[in-house]
Amino acid sequence: MISREMSPASRGSSEDLQNDESSAVKFGTADALAYVRTLTDVGAMTRLLHECIAYQRALDVDLDSLLSQRTDLDKHLLQLQKSAEVLDIVKADSDHMLSNVRSTSDLADQVSRKVRELDLAQSRVNDTLLRIDAIVDRNNCLDGVKTALDEENFEAAAKFVQRFVEIDNKYKDSGSDQREQLLTAKKQLEGIVKKRVLAAVDQRDHGTILRFIKLYSPLGIEEEGLQVYVGYLKKVIGMRWRMEYDNLVELMEQSQDQNQVNFVGCLTNLFKDIVLAIEENDEILRGLCGEDGIVYAICELQEECDSRGCLILKKYMEYRKLGKLSAEINTQNKNLLNVGVSEGPDPREVELYLEEILSLMQLGEDYTEFMVSKIKSLSSVDPELVPRATKAFRSGSFSKVVQEITGFYVILEGFFMVENVRKAIRIDEYVPDSLTTSMVDDVFYVLQSCLRRAISTSNISSVIAVLSSASSLLSNEYQEALQQKTREPNLGAKLFLGGVGVQKTGTEIATALNNMDVSSEYVLKLKHEIEEQCAEVFPTPADREKVKSCLSELGDLSKMFKQILNMGMEQLVATVTPRIRPVLDSVATISYELSEAEYADNEVNDPWVQRLLHAVETNAAWLQPLMTANNYDSFVHLIIDFIVKRLEVIMMQKKFSQLGGLQLDRDTRALVSHFSGMTQRTVRDKFARLTQMATILNLEKVSEILDFWGENSGPMTWRLTPAEVRRVLGLRVDFKPEAIALLKL
């Protein structure tokens, strides 16, 4: 018989499902009631009943809490009823206030409308009164003009005309008859003013001109007045210039001394007159047309500068025969056989011309710079006038003639520089109490003077041309002169004649080397000086780049002089080292496998170091007073290089005991100490390899080298390679080759 009861497992799963569903029931809803009807398990029903009872108890608690607040709610409700009575009173007051505000607003609108009507009426009355005053003023102006003209009080007449025009411009719709009468009087006054000004200009009556030129503004013809007054200034400047120029031409025809003909003074006076015309008449020009009037005057007077200044410069070039002179110089330069021959123009005369040309060019540049800065300083000028005025200065006919004379300047400056450098080379001589010959200072003084003069022209093309000529001179003729002495054959035989240093030959050789050393320094100084001066004169990046490019040639020249100096120094050292080599060769016969007795004896009787130092002193030290400090230091260092290389070769062929290593260290220290006193430069690095060899040969055992090698080297930098270190260790007679081979270096 099959049982109808559910298995425990089935009941458990069903109960769990109903438990989950009952926990999600919301009591008091239709869904909860429907759910209750679906329940079939007694346990689930029981649990749901308990939950329902708990829910009911929670509702009771909430109801009790709400009922406990009833007293407070009653009190609040009573207060609200009292407040409602107050709000009714407030509402009544607000309505009353709104009524008052509306009535006040309506009244204000009515008053405002009345005020506007009154203001309009008042403005019309005022306008009518002003028109009546204008009619009266115009009548007064007409009467005043007629009376002033009859009395020749032209200033008052001009003021009446100006006043009438102002009134008429404001009220153009009335007074046509008065306008016609005034225009007739104005025309009459203009005619009188113009006539008086022209008469005053002819008579050069400056006071009368100023009196009437001021009347152009009240009459409204300022631009015409500006043209008339500037024309007068041009006429005055032209007359003054003509007197100066005629006097200059007369001196040219009569004077035997060319220096009395002062072209610079003539050009200076022309520029001075133009500048004073602008500065002294600044107020008048501004009164006519403001700052535009000043610019107009500057541009117009620049025409005088162009025409008059060009004549002065052209007359100067004609009088000094610059064209012919330049042609002669160019012809001479083409003939290469003329090098060193004193022909052609006199350089002293050319120098006078150069100074004159420089003064003329500086005058033009200063004048142009002043005028351009004057224009740029004006704040309210028409923007279109500034470029026009600047162009008038930079591209005018005077500027073109200056460019022409600049071309002559470059030719003359190049000739003067070449001739004087050649002369300095020809008359080169020894100077008492000097380590160089006269050529060095003379040549660089000439180059410095010429380059400074070129920079003073403020013309970048001139500077580049002169700078290129200077570089060419230094790299060719001057360099050849520097090398001439060191190229003599059998220099060593002449230096040590009969085994003794010859003072005269030593002085000649040392001086030639000193010339190279000082020349190299002078080139760099000249380069830096020119660079600084050009930076001040030529602010534009393009010009500075051009100068920098040329100056780089001077830097290369300095390096080339240094190379030539090193070659000459090596030649000198080659004449000295054969006299030292025998002492060095004798070191090869000296043993370094020393006993304690031999080591002690060497301390008293030095085996070779003192003989070597004596040989150096005898054959080299006597040249110290004859050389520059830099040259003597280089000379000593080259000798040290020779000694050190020879000693390294010799020592690598010897055998050493530990005491021998100590002896080598002592010998090396003695050499370092002595040579340190002979030169201002450090010599320790020269002996570094020998010093490190001595250190290795002093070791107690082979493995001690590891205390000084690699990470343990400290501040010391090893100059010996690992292979050389092994080789030096092998020189110790008591070190085993097997131990040396096992070292990991």
Side-chain angles (χ1 to χ4, degrees):
M1 182 176 179
I2 300 174
S3 175
R4 297 181 179 271
E5 295 181 358
M6 296 178 62
S7 66
S10 298
R11 288 197 302 268
S13 60
S14 177
E15 290 176 358
D16 291 339
L17 180 61
Q18 291 184 358
N19 287 341
D20 292 338
E21 291 177 352
S22 64
S23 62
V25 172
K26 294 183 180 180
F27 296 102
T29 63
D31 292 338
L33 182 60
Y35 173 71
V36 170
R37 290 174 177 171
T38 61
L39 291 177
T40 58
D41 183 69
V42 176
M45 293 179 183
T46 304
R47 281 191 296 275
L48 186 60
L49 177 61
H50 290 315
E51 289 177 4
C52 183
I53 294 170
Y55 176 70
Q56 183 178 4
R57 289 174 180 172
L59 289 177
D60 292 339
V61 173
D62 291 340
L63 287 173
D64 291 339
S65 176
L66 291 173
L67 289 173
S68 66
Q69 298 176 7
R70 179 173 181 175
T71 305
D72 294 334
L73 291 174
D74 291 340
K75 291 180 181 179
H76 288 308
L77 183 59
L78 183 61
Q79 290 176 356
L80 287 175
Q81 290 175 349
K82 294 179 179 180
S83 299
E85 298 175 358
V86 176
L87 289 175
D88 291 338
I89 298 172
V90 171
K91 182 177 181 301
D93 292 341
S94 299
D95 293 339
H96 179 68
M97 182 179 294
L98 177 61
S99 176
N100 290 337
V101 168
R102 283 176 178 171
S103 62
T104 304
S105 175
D106 294 338
L107 180 60
D109 289 340
Q110 295 175 7
V111 171
S112 177
R113 185 168 55 255
K114 294 292 185 180
V115 168
R116 285 195 296 271
E117 292 173 355
L118 289 174
D119 182 65
L120 178 61
Q122 184 181 12
S123 63
R124 288 176 177 174
V125 170
N126 289 336
D127 186 53
T128 303
L129 292 174
L130 288 174
R131 286 180 177 273
I132 294 172
D133 291 338
I135 294 171
V136 174
D137 286 343
R138 278 193 287 207
N139 286 328
N140 292 337
C141 289
L142 279 173
D143 296 339
V145 168
K146 294 176 182 178
T147 303
L149 287 175
D150 293 339
E151 298 175 353
E152 294 190 353
N153 187 354
F154 303 111
E155 289 81 359
K159 289 181 180 179
F160 284 126
V161 170
Q162 184 181 26
R163 175 58 180 161
F164 185 95
V165 172
E166 290 174 356
I167 297 171
D168 192 60
N169 289 335
K170 191 173 182 180
Y171 305 103
K172 292 183 178 180
D173 55 345
S174 62
S176 58
D177 294 339
Q178 293 175 325
R179 186 182 304 111
E180 291 295 331
Q181 296 177 35
L182 190 282
L183 290 177
T184 302
K186 179 176 180 291
K187 188 174 182 180
Q188 179 184 355
L189 179 58
E190 287 178 1
I192 295 171
V193 169
K194 293 176 182 178
K195 184 177 180 180
R196 294 290 181 94
V197 167
L198 292 176
V201 169
D202 292 337
Q203 297 173 6
R204 285 182 288 173
D205 186 352
H206 187 66
T208 302
I209 293 171
L210 289 180
R211 176 192 173 189
F212 285 97
I213 208 70
K214 293 178 181 178
L215 302 182
Y216 278 77
S217 291
L219 293 175
I221 50 175
E222 299 91 341
E223 293 185 2
E224 184 179 347
L226 179 64
Q227 294 173 4
V228 171
Y229 192 67
V230 171
Y232 159 69
L233 294 177
K234 290 172 69 175
K235 187 174 182 180
V236 172
I237 291 171
M239 293 176 63
R240 289 172 59 86
W241 174 85
R242 175 54 62 182
M243 293 174 60
E244 290 268 356
Y245 186 73
D246 291 344
N247 185 41
L248 186 72
V249 173
E250 185 178 350
L251 282 174
M252 290 167 56
E253 295 172 351
Q254 298 177 358
S255 177
Q256 299 296 325
D257 185 5
Q258 292 187 356
N259 294 329
Q260 291 183 359
V261 184
N262 191 358
F263 288 92
V264 176
C266 186
L267 188 62
T268 301
N269 289 335
L270 173 63
F271 289 154
K272 184 179 179 181
D273 288 342
I274 295 175
V275 171
L276 288 177
I278 299 296
E279 293 294 309
E280 293 180 355
N281 295 282
D282 183 271
E283 183 179 352
I284 298 171
L285 295 172
R286 287 177 185 270
L288 288 169
C289 292
E291 291 185 345
D292 289 352
I294 297 176
V295 177
Y296 173 81
I298 291 175
C299 293
E300 289 296 312
L301 294 180
Q302 178 59 25
E303 295 179 3
E304 288 295 304
C305 170
D306 283 339
S307 59
R308 314 296 182 184
C310 286
L311 287 175
I312 295 174
L313 293 183
K314 288 179 180 178
K315 182 62 70 174
Y316 171 77
M317 290 187 286
E318 176 189 342
Y319 183 65
R320 297 303 189 199
K321 300 177 182 178
L322 296 185
K324 181 181 178 182
L325 197 62
S326 298
E328 291 177 3
I329 293 172
N330 289 331
T331 302
Q332 180 179 343
N333 290 339
K334 291 178 182 178
N335 187 359
L336 299 178
L337 298 177
N338 283 340
V339 176
V341 180
S342 179
E343 294 182 359
D346 184 358
R348 290 172 296 181
E349 182 180 345
V350 170
E351 185 176 20
L352 294 176
Y353 296 166
L354 287 171
E355 293 297 334
E356 279 184 334
I357 293 173
L358 177 62
S359 298
L360 292 171
M361 293 174 70
Q362 284 180 329
L363 273 173
E365 185 63 27
D366 292 344
Y367 165 77
T368 300
E369 188 66 29
F370 174 81
M371 285 302 194
V372 171
S373 62
K374 175 76 174 177
I375 294 172
K376 291 182 178 179
S377 67
L378 303 175
S379 57
S380 60
V381 70
D382 185 352
E384 295 182 359
L385 287 178
V386 176
R388 175 191 160 207
T390 305
K391 184 179 179 181
F393 283 95
R394 298 298 183 187
S395 60
S397 56
F398 179 80
S399 180
K400 293 178 181 177
V401 178
V402 169
Q403 292 176 7
E404 182 181 352
I405 203 171
T406 300
F408 290 133
Y409 163 79
V410 171
I411 296 173
L412 296 180
E413 190 71 86
F415 170 79
F416 175 79
M417 183 167 55
V418 170
E419 290 300 313
N420 280 279
V421 168
R422 289 175 179 172
K423 183 177 180 181
I425 294 173
R426 284 198 307 272
I427 65 173
D428 187 28
E429 60 183 2
Y430 292 99
V431 180
D433 301 325
S434 176
L435 297 176
T436 61
T437 59
S438 62
M439 172 183 69
V440 177
D441 286 340
D442 290 347
V443 165
F444 280 94
Y445 173 76
V446 171
L447 295 179
Q448 184 186 52
S449 300
C450 292
L451 286 169
R452 284 180 176 176
R453 189 157 49 212
I455 294 172
S456 298
T457 64
S458 300
N459 185 287
I460 188 64
S461 300
S462 301
V463 176
I464 298 301
V466 176
L467 193 53
S468 299
S469 298
S471 299
S472 177
L473 273 174
L474 289 174
S475 60
N476 294 309
E477 296 177 41
Y478 184 68
Q479 178 186 333
E480 182 66 25
L482 286 177
Q483 291 181 277
Q484 186 176 2
K485 186 64 184 176
T486 58
R487 289 175 176 172
E488 292 187 13
N490 300 321
L491 197 60
K494 294 180 181 179
L495 183 61
F496 294 99
L497 190 61
V500 181
V502 180
Q503 186 74 21
K504 181 180 179 182
T505 306
T507 301
E508 291 176 354
I509 296 173
T511 303
L513 295 174
N514 293 342
N515 285 350
M516 296 178 188
D517 180 42
V518 174
S519 295
S520 178
E521 293 180 3
Y522 279 2
V523 168
L524 288 180
K525 288 182 179 178
L526 185 64
K527 176 179 179 290
H528 293 148
E529 179 183 336
I530 299 305
E531 193 169 16
E532 290 177 358
Q533 292 181 0
C534 287
E536 296 178 0
V537 178
F538 304 109
T540 60
D543 290 346
R544 290 189 179 184
E545 194 61 33
K546 292 178 183 177
V547 173
K548 185 178 179 181
S549 177
C550 286
L551 288 177
S552 64
E553 297 180 12
L554 292 181
D556 296 338
L557 276 173
S558 177
K559 294 177 182 177
M560 185 173 66
F561 287 162
K562 283 290 184 184
Q563 292 174 356
I564 297 171
L565 172 62
N566 292 336
M567 293 170 56
M569 198 66 70
E570 289 172 358
Q571 285 182 303
L572 176 61
V573 171
T575 65
V576 174
T577 50
R579 307 181 64 81
I580 301 174
R581 190 181 182 95
V583 181
L584 287 172
D585 291 342
S586 68
V587 177
T589 63
I590 296 172
S591 174
Y592 275 83
E593 296 182 48
L594 302 178
S595 62
E596 291 186 5
E598 289 172 331
Y599 179 77
D601 183 62
N602 284 347
E603 189 173 2
V604 178
N605 302 311
D606 182 82
W608 62 271
V609 172
Q610 294 304 317
R611 284 190 294 118
L612 175 63
L613 295 178
H614 177 71
V616 172
E617 288 287 338
T618 302
N619 294 285
W622 67 280
L623 292 170
Q624 181 178 9
L626 307 177
M627 289 184 167
T628 61
N630 184 55
N631 274 359
Y632 185 70
D633 286 346
S634 300
F635 176 57
V636 171
H637 274 249
L638 287 173
I639 293 176
I640 293 173
D641 288 339
F642 169 78
I643 292 173
V644 168
K645 288 179 182 178
R646 183 62 184 152
L647 285 176
E648 285 181 12
V649 173
I650 293 172
M651 294 305 170
M652 282 295 190
Q653 298 172 354
K654 289 184 175 295
K655 291 294 183 179
F656 290 82
S657 63
Q658 186 175 14
L659 290 175
L662 288 173
Q663 180 65 41
L664 178 60
D665 183 66
R666 184 164 63 189
D667 294 343
T668 304
R669 290 178 184 276
L671 291 174
V672 171
S673 176
H674 184 82
F675 282 115
S676 294
M678 289 184 67
T679 176
Q680 297 176 359
R681 303 178 196 168
T682 180
V683 299
R684 292 188 178 277
D685 59 323
K686 300 286 185 181
F687 291 92
R689 287 172 59 85
L690 275 177
T691 302
Q692 290 174 3
M693 288 173 63
T695 300
I696 295 171
L697 295 169
N698 280 331
L699 299 177
E700 291 286 342
K701 53 185 179 180
V702 173
S703 60
E704 281 188 7
I705 185 62
L706 299 177
D707 296 336
F708 302 95
W709 191 262
E711 295 179 355
N712 300 322
S713 62
M716 182 174 65
T717 301
W718 280 92
R719 304 292 181 88
L720 300 175
T721 64
E724 289 173 330
V725 170
R726 295 179 189 277
R727 185 179 174 188
V728 172
L729 286 169
L731 300 179
R732 277 282 293 271
V733 294
D734 52 335
F735 286 170
K736 295 181 179 181
E738 296 83 2
I740 297 173
L742 292 174
L743 283 174
K744 294 181 180 180
L745 297 177

